[in-house]
Amino acid sequence: MKLLKLRATRLLGTLFCLLVANTVHAGPVLDAIYKRDAVRCGVSSGVAGFSALGSDGQWRGLDVAVCRAVAAAVLGDAQKVQFTPLSSQQRFAALQAGQIDILSRNTTWTLGRDAGLNAHFAAITYYDGQGILMHKRFGVKSAKELKGAEICVQSGTTNEKNLSTYLGSQGITAKAIVYDNFEAAYKAFFSGRCQAFSTDVSALIGLKSSQSGRPDDYVVLPEVFSKEPLGPAVLRGDDEFFAIVKWVVFSMIEAEELGVGKANLDQALRNNNPAVQRLLGGAENLGKPLGLPRDWVVQILRQVGNYGEVFDANLGKQSPLKLERGLNALWTQGGLMYAPPLR
């Protein structure tokens, strides 16, 4: 009898462990999102193609789309996002204070930020690099010709450090003129306070198009002198939410690779391709380990789109910026965009 009781106790214990192991519990951030029925997203105060408030009162951009995709996956509605514009000095403080759930603000993933600011970077959504913008009237063809020039740059960013390092390593006797915020820095440049302006190349192209008034009068110099992997970050301490943000981005990349997006979603739902059916929840429930509904990827694609669709609409051929995919093309097309297997 004692042996039977012992075996029964062990069996119940095993069943309990299996039940707990297969149950996803919402962490503090995710639990708060469910309670307020909205995702709080920290964005920039206005960087063309990444996060900018339109005249119609709608936020648009690649970083904005990431937050909308998370809302679509978690809450089933991509519109359930509360956007907070943040300066570079404010962004990590807001994340640490719990004022936002996601920092999706053209922010570079660095060791110091990842390990030193209590943040987890979930994925890379854009591979960028720093460059220099100038007016063509100076006739400068290379950054190495910037002897004596004054270069506007924003303080408290990787851009300020990268510029100083580059100028020093190349023996270029240019001077950095530092401004507290991004808007003040680029406005100083366009008003003639500096001969050049330095930030990420994608932002330079956006500013040339949106702020100069005469984009053909400006040139981005050919030198790219830093690695700027940009992506969303979340606060450490909620592994469930971290996993969701990570796999939301990966699902958008995987969907583009499989040729599934907003434009052909209904057709794809009838597709017999096993990989497509697995992604869309037909052959396998990929939402279960994340604590999400079975159709979470369907909601992302229907309401936001795959990575390629989002890129084209905000940065690429369908946008005013007309940026080439470059490093941000899929790995199958010579780029670096690559999602771990969704299975």
Side-chain angles (χ1 to χ4, degrees):
M1 181 63 72
K2 289 183 179 180
L3 182 60
L4 288 175
K5 286 183 178 180
L6 180 60
R7 288 177 176 174
T9 301
R10 287 178 176 173
L11 179 60
L12 288 172
T14 301
L15 290 173
F16 176 77
C17 291
L18 289 172
L19 178 62
V20 170
N22 285 283
T23 301
V24 177
H25 298 282
V29 176
L30 189 56
D31 188 52
I33 289 172
Y34 285 129
K35 287 180 179 178
R36 92 170 69 89
D37 199 31
V39 175
R40 299 175 307 176
C41 181
V43 293
S44 73
S45 55
V47 176
F50 289 91
S51 52
L53 186 62
S55 57
D56 59 357
Q58 293 293 313
W59 283 94
R60 294 184 178 84
L62 177 64
D63 291 337
V64 169
V66 169
C67 292
R68 293 203 185 281
V70 171
V74 174
L75 301 173
D77 189 343
Q79 297 305 311
K80 290 184 175 181
V81 184
Q82 298 170 0
F83 293 102
T84 300
L86 299 166
S87 69
S88 60
Q89 291 85 357
Q90 296 170 326
R91 53 186 166 178
F92 284 102
L95 183 65
Q96 292 165 345
Q99 296 170 357
I100 56 174
D101 305 316
I102 310 174
L103 177 63
S104 189
R105 186 201 175 282
N106 56 298
T107 297
T108 303
W109 185 348
T110 70
L111 183 152
R113 289 171 173 175
D114 191 295
L117 295 178
N118 202 29
H120 271 316
F121 281 81
I124 296 171
T125 54
Y126 191 90
Y127 290 91
D128 210 345
Q130 189 169 337
I132 295 175
L133 180 68
M134 292 198 72
H135 197 287
K136 287 182 178 178
R137 70 173 179 270
F138 294 111
V140 173
K141 304 296 183 183
S142 167
K144 295 180 180 180
E145 301 172 22
L146 291 174
K147 181 180 179 180
E150 293 183 324
I151 306 173
C152 287
V153 68
Q154 184 182 359
S155 66
T157 64
T158 56
N159 295 147
E160 181 185 7
K161 294 180 180 179
N162 292 338
L163 179 63
S164 176
T165 300
Y166 178 70
L167 295 177
S169 66
Q170 298 297 314
I172 301 171
T173 57
K175 180 182 179 181
I177 306 298
V178 178
Y179 290 86
D180 288 339
N181 62 72
F182 184 71
E183 185 176 7
Y186 76 69
K187 284 187 174 181
F189 164 67
F190 285 119
S191 69
R193 173 64 183 84
C194 308
Q195 292 79 49
F197 177 65
S198 185
T199 190
D200 298 347
V201 171
S202 60
L204 293 178
I205 294 173
L207 289 171
K208 185 165 84 81
S209 174
S210 64
Q211 300 295 327
S212 69
R214 300 177 64 90
D216 291 341
D217 290 349
Y218 294 84
V219 61
V220 177
L221 300 182
E223 290 84 1
V224 177
F225 48 87
S226 73
K227 295 183 292 184
E228 305 295 331
L230 311 179
V234 299
L235 189 66
R236 294 191 181 201
D238 191 330
D239 290 342
E240 291 78 21
F241 186 57
F242 173 48
I244 286 172
V245 176
K246 178 167 44 179
W247 287 102
V248 162
V249 174
F250 290 151
S251 72
M252 297 170 74
I253 297 171
E254 180 78 357
E256 183 189 6
E257 183 177 339
L258 292 174
V260 180
K262 192 173 186 178
N264 66 344
L265 181 58
D266 289 333
Q267 180 182 353
L269 286 167
R270 300 189 296 271
N271 193 317
N272 292 324
N273 184 318
V276 172
Q277 282 301 307
R278 182 169 55 246
L279 178 70
L280 301 181
E284 187 176 338
N285 186 358
L286 296 179
K288 185 176 181 180
L290 294 170
L292 296 177
R294 192 181 188 108
D295 68 341
W296 65 284
V297 177
V298 172
Q299 294 300 328
I300 292 171
L301 298 179
R302 190 178 298 284
Q303 299 181 53
V304 182
N306 67 32
Y307 179 82
E309 290 173 320
V310 169
F311 186 100
D312 286 344
N314 295 287
L315 295 163
K317 56 188 178 184
Q318 296 174 15
S319 77
L321 303 183
K322 309 294 183 191
L323 292 181
E324 297 293 332
R325 289 288 293 268
L327 295 178
N328 298 292
L330 294 175
W331 68 285
T332 55
Q333 298 171 8
L336 298 179
M337 280 298 166
Y338 185 109
L342 274 78
R343 65 171 69 101

